[in-house]
Amino acid sequence: MKFACGAKIIGVGAGLPVSVVTNEDLTRLVDTSDEWIETRTGIKERRIVNETESATGLATEAARDALAYAGIEGDTIELVIVATSTPDNLYPSTACQVQAAIGASRAVAFDMEAACTGIIYALSVGQQFIGSGTYKRVLVIGVDVHSRFLNWEDRNTCILFGDGAGAFVLEATEQSDNQMLGTYLRADGNGGHLLWIPNTGTQYPHAGTDGPQPTTRFLQMNGRAIYEFAVNAVPEAVRQATAAAGITVDDIDYMVPHQANIRIIKAAADRLGIKKEQVVTNVDEMGNTSAASIPLALWSAIRRDKVKIPSTMCLVGFGAGLTWGSAVVKWTAVDKRGDAASTSEKAEKAEASIS
Ligand code: COA
């Protein structure tokens, strides 16, 4: 696709709940074990919101962190896009709440939903607005608080998810400096029943006299079918996005996949011939944070100097819908706070809980 303007990512940020819930903690809720969860998923712990934390709060924290990384103020943002499946309310949108909180008074703001692929869809939409010359700075946030939609008595699902927010800042560039090299988006609603949350939709039974049915309020999943879908979707999306970028999989320095399960990530990387050290993961410490997982994985890796800058990265997502997609980006952005970033209170808090 030909765009009038180029785009590049100039910031990444994170918003995380304070509480860490370990696999051991979950053994007190359901019949499971640390060994089972880690072997089948790679997850050791996840962050879960407390009563005072919310999707809007996490998204705002991620936004502020990404703005600081980029060294810019909120009032220079012209569009806020929030990808989420678990907003605090049906409206106002999370994006409008973030827009107000960061003082982006000129910005247009809206939410969109493509489940765990949401951040890839949102990046692509942001790129379109920049590419058309409409906006120069776009804040793209992925946030999910799945813990409020999980059945904490269902060991098949409650062990998989964590809460969190991740954000990117996109900025217009000259065409010659374009760093959003290629994208690929897909959807297949025929698989919608494989992963769904009926809660809050118009088909959700009214609380009424009998009250909601516990088996239909929460996230439902066919784990095996989703696994099969994912190990095919990731290689397809990576190959197609690299082709759109005019490069091959061998030209990628890093793959930053949606952090659902380490087995899915490894199987997909093997199929693509991508080496272990090229795969960016933090599923062990955050679980599946849905729309937030890709920026959160990259945020962790950058903070720990695990990725070289500049480099070529393939961000790749998959999830409910079904949806899947990928974005190939050249990453040149460094944290404008310098050393201050790694000594910030939040960074130390995260480090303390994962080391
Ligand atoms: N602890 C202990 N045992 C568990 C368990 C848990 N937390 N969850 C399920 N089990 C049991 C099952 O009941 C089953 O028991 P049974 O054989 O007596 O019926 C057994 O473990 C094996 O279950 P199975 O479904 O074969 O496990 P699996 O190897 O396929 O792993 C998933 C299950 C969910 C980890 C895996 O299918 C997966 O990751 N799927 C993708 C899910 C995903 O990523 N969703 C989000 C996408 S965005």
Side-chain angles (χ1 to χ4, degrees):
M1 169 148 337
K2 271 270 172 239
F3 290 113
C5 302
K8 65 177 177 183
I9 300 177
I10 60 168
V12 60
L16 291 170
V18 172
S19 300
V20 175
V21 174
T22 65
N23 291 346
E24 204 56 45
D25 294 333
L26 294 181
T27 64
R28 290 188 273 281
L29 297 179
V30 288
D31 180 14
T32 190
S33 66
D34 176 43
E35 196 267 334
W36 193 97
I37 299 172
E38 197 177 337
T39 313
R40 303 293 176 116
T41 70
I43 300 166
K44 295 179 183 164
E45 59 188 36
R46 70 288 290 143
R47 302 294 188 95
I48 299 290
V49 291
N50 62 29
E51 282 170 12
T52 62
E53 292 168 322
S54 65
T56 301
L58 297 178
T60 302
E61 189 183 340
R64 290 193 174 123
D65 193 29
L67 292 170
Y69 186 106
I72 61 169
E73 298 296 327
D75 62 5
T76 66
I77 296 292
E78 295 170 311
L79 169 63
V80 180
I81 307 174
V82 172
T84 185
S85 323
T86 55
D88 295 336
N89 305 292
L90 287 184
Y91 57 75
S93 69
T94 311
C96 281
Q97 299 305 291
V98 173
Q99 182 253 19
I102 63 168
S105 50
R106 292 190 294 138
V108 173
F110 62 86
D111 285 6
M112 48 173 285
E113 195 265 289
C116 303
T117 321
I119 194 75
I120 302 293
Y121 270 61
L123 263 181
S124 180
V125 171
Q127 181 190 13
Q128 303 278 333
F129 274 109
I130 286 179
S132 64
T134 311
Y135 301 120
K136 292 209 164 5
R137 276 192 182 151
V138 177
L139 180 61
V140 175
I141 304 167
V143 59
D144 272 305
V145 177
H146 266 92
S147 62
R148 298 266 161 83
F149 300 94
L150 294 172
N151 179 352
W152 289 98
E153 294 176 0
D154 176 12
R155 67 180 184 174
N156 291 292
T157 53
C158 76
I159 55 133
L160 296 173
F161 294 88
D163 302 329
F168 291 123
V169 182
L170 270 175
E171 186 175 71
T173 65
E174 295 297 320
Q175 216 9 310
S176 55
D177 188 33
N178 178 47
Q179 297 182 5
M180 291 287 297
L181 304 179
T183 55
Y184 176 73
L185 301 179
R186 288 294 305 274
D188 179 8
N190 291 312
H193 60 288
L194 298 174
L195 184 54
W196 66 307
I197 305 179
N199 205 330
T200 76
T202 55
Q203 292 196 6
Y204 176 62
H206 286 284
T209 44
D210 297 330
Q213 301 300 306
T215 51
T216 59
R217 269 183 65 200
F218 303 113
L219 179 145
Q220 325 263 305
M221 182 183 71
N222 180 333
R224 288 241 176 117
I226 291 292
Y227 188 98
E228 287 305 316
F229 150 67
V231 294
N232 290 308
V234 171
E236 176 197 320
V238 170
R239 288 196 183 101
Q240 294 292 339
T242 47
I247 63 174
T248 70
V249 175
D250 291 342
D251 298 318
I252 297 170
D253 297 308
Y254 304 104
M255 177 171 79
V256 190
H258 169 47
Q259 307 288 308
N261 180 322
I262 198 68
R263 287 159 59 212
I264 292 173
I265 293 171
K266 281 183 176 161
D270 283 352
R271 288 184 188 193
L272 287 161
I274 293 177
K275 297 190 202 79
K276 189 172 167 244
E277 55 274 21
Q278 292 175 274
V279 180
V280 174
T281 68
N282 68 349
V283 68
D284 57 333
E285 59 192 291
M286 297 205 186
N288 180 345
T289 55
S290 196
S293 88
I294 292 171
L296 280 180
L298 189 54
W299 173 83
S300 298
I302 289 175
R303 276 188 43 245
R304 293 168 186 161
D305 289 329
K306 285 192 174 166
V307 292
K308 64 175 177 169
I309 300 174
S311 54
T312 302
M313 301 181 181
C314 188
L315 318 181
V316 55
F318 59 87
L322 300 171
T323 53
W324 64 109
S326 182
V328 176
V329 304
K330 186 172 170 199
W331 189 279
T332 58
V334 290
D335 196 327
K336 290 285 198 305
R337 292 165 293 191
D339 289 345
S342 54
T343 57
S344 71
E345 195 188 329
K346 182 169 72 171
E348 283 184 354
K349 198 165 64 185
E351 205 71 74
S353 65
I354 55 185
S355 54

